[in-house]
Amino acid sequence: MSSKQETTFMYQEHLPSLPVQTLEHTCGKYLESVKHLLTDEEYMQTEFVVNEFQSGIGKKLQQKLEKRGKEHRNWVTKLYIFGAFLLVSLSQWWEEEAYLRPRSPVAPLVNIGGPFMMQEDVWPPAEGTLLKRAAFVIFALLDTWQKIYRQQLKIGKMGNKPLCMSQYLRLFSECRIPGKDLDSLKAHFCLAPEKPPRHIMVQTNGRIYTCYVLDENYEPLTPPDIERQLEAVVKMAKSRPLGPCIGALTAEDRTTWYQSRNLLIALDGKNGEYLHAIETAMVNLVLDYECEGKDYQEVTHNSILGDCRNRWFDKSITVIGCKMGTFATNCDHSPFDGIVEISTMIDASVMIRKFNGEWQGRQHIGNVTPPSELDFVVDDQMLKCVKTAVDKYQKEADRIIIIDTKTTMFGKNHIKRLGVHPDTFCQLAIQLAYYRMHNKPGTAYETAQTRQFYHGRTDTVRSCTAEAVEWCKAMVSP
């Protein structure tokens, strides 16, 4: 079948199952990965423990794992029905244990994010550009939304092999919900011809608004129409004092946020409706006038460590616009992996560059429903909860240093001409830097995707190999 005839999810049921490795292979790989990090005595003790495990309880555990591997096409996952598709819910073994069960805050150390790479060419930092550019970013994201909705998004491939696309079903209108002991994920997106949410949420000045960005026929509004709505939001926000900053509660530890959320709902019935509007919103847009965003350093810092009073850390996608028209993202990590978000933002930047950063199409499509504020009812106790959340978040954020740097001496093409993969180059650079600083190898974790398998997400690459250590030694003492 030609690529022109392919639909986004057509290969899902044809992807290979995630294999279960043999016990011998797993134990051998473990010993191989730690040998160069241990003394001879430590390695002998480790080898003894591994051999004892392999000949004892490991056999029973392997049998259970192999049984699960026969019962499930992806033994890490469980499934639930999503419209006509089976959508992955990595409960118990991955999603629950890695993301949803831990009670620590998701920000600033769990969520993923980074700068929107547009500053060098079409969108240099400039005063008075935020709303026009923000409208274009939303429009570009709606293009991806519409392609997923119509199953027209190009299938990711590794060579000629299709990759699992199920994570894209959780990109829009997805929200994490706090629980007492375990959080949950709520998906509100659905495929055509169903009718998913048509609005986004906008945060600014400690207040939250909703704006419709699709018309009744599920066609995206034009950037000028979206800009007109954002102008109305800013006008409303500036006419009032700083809002209650309810979003800061999402920076709390998960059980505390669960308790605060219940208190918020109990205060007034409208609050529950407002929370539903937030949780169903396609994306979250932050108009962050407190951050100038004059360079990548400032934009990146704002992405990860920005003001939690204008954030909703549980949303799948948050686009953060700075005062000078520069942008970043902050995303909940549990619904999808970083490469999905990165690919989506790259697609958005490609569309914007296609127009050279300036909308050249229709100026409007007609009357647009005006934005509305989610005017939460709060009391002194709730405001105290917000202040506590802000203080705790800021204390943690102040402990973190982010340095955004880049080299202009050479790029990936030069590295490739030398016969080295750019990722290999970077991983070895990290190892060498650590070795020079500490005179010993540094353990490292690098994410590797397993999307070539049915409902695959990620696995781990241990880039600190024996060969990497020997190379570092040679570089330090040639």
Side-chain angles (χ1 to χ4, degrees), residues 298-321:
E298 189 174 7
V299 172
T300 304
H301 184 278
N302 196 43
S303 167
I304 306 299
L305 307 176
D307 187 354
C308 71
R309 296 176 300 175
N310 284 314
R311 300 291 189 272
W312 200 275
F313 291 117
D314 290 350
K315 284 300 290 180
S316 54
I317 297 180
T318 293
V319 176
I320 304 166

Side-chain angles (χ1 to χ4, degrees), residues 166-395:
S166 63
Q167 292 180 54
Y168 284 90
L169 291 168
R170 310 172 84 181
L171 198 57
F172 297 98
S173 297
E174 181 92 10
C175 196
R176 178 172 177 151
I177 310 297
K180 181 180 179 181
D181 301 307
L182 177 72
D183 290 358
S184 59
L185 285 172
K186 297 297 183 183
H188 301 277
F189 176 78
C190 52
L191 300 172
E194 301 298 320
K195 304 297 184 182
R198 297 189 291 124
H199 67 281
I200 64 170
M201 61 180 285
V202 182
Q203 289 185 276
T204 191
N205 195 34
R207 299 183 177 276
I208 305 174
Y209 302 82
T210 58
C211 299
Y212 283 95
V213 292
L214 298 173
D215 66 16
E216 294 83 355
N217 298 316
Y218 283 80
E219 292 292 333
L221 301 186
T222 64
D225 263 337
I226 298 173
E227 181 184 358
R228 186 170 62 183
Q229 293 205 76
L230 298 183
E231 288 171 347
V233 165
V234 172
K235 184 178 180 180
M236 286 190 288
K238 286 185 175 180
S239 69
R240 303 187 66 184
L242 179 70
C245 307
I246 293 299
L249 296 173
T250 65
E252 264 285 11
D253 71 80
R254 304 308 297 175
T255 301
T256 300
W257 167 213
Y258 161 78
Q259 295 166 344
S260 299
R261 184 176 183 273
N262 288 342
L263 289 174
L264 192 62
I265 294 172
L267 272 176
D268 193 283
K270 285 288 186 182
N271 288 346
E273 296 176 17
Y274 297 153
L275 287 170
H276 181 73
I278 288 169
E279 291 156 8
T280 57
M282 301 165 74
V283 298
N284 180 24
L285 172 64
V286 174
L287 302 176
D288 200 341
Y289 285 96
E290 299 302 312
C291 176
E292 285 195 357
K294 60 184 180 297
D295 53 37
Y296 277 130
Q297 173 68 34
E298 189 174 7
V299 172
T300 304
H301 184 278
N302 196 43
S303 167
I304 306 299
L305 307 176
D307 187 354
C308 71
R309 296 176 300 175
N310 284 314
R311 300 291 189 272
W312 200 275
F313 291 117
D314 290 350
K315 284 300 290 180
S316 54
I317 297 180
T318 293
V319 176
I320 304 166
C322 301
K323 184 178 180 181
M324 298 188 73
T326 51
F327 295 86
T329 59
N330 186 287
C331 306
D332 175 25
H333 202 343
S334 51
F336 49 76
D337 297 312
I339 190 63
V340 172
E341 184 258 342
I342 291 170
S343 297
T344 300
M345 298 311 295
I346 288 175
D347 288 344
S349 68
V350 168
M351 167 174 269
I352 293 169
R353 285 188 170 91
K354 176 182 176 183
F355 290 92
N356 199 30
E358 295 287 339
W359 175 244
Q360 299 163 17
R362 293 176 299 165
Q363 290 302 302
H364 63 86
I365 60 171
N367 294 327
V368 178
T369 303
S372 59
E373 182 175 359
L374 306 182
D375 202 359
F376 281 93
V377 177
V378 297
D379 59 8
D380 290 342
Q381 181 184 5
M382 188 55 58
L383 292 176
K384 184 178 179 180
C385 290
V386 169
K387 185 180 185 306
T388 300
V390 172
D391 291 344
K392 289 166 67 175
Y393 168 86
Q394 199 57 53
K395 182 178 180 181

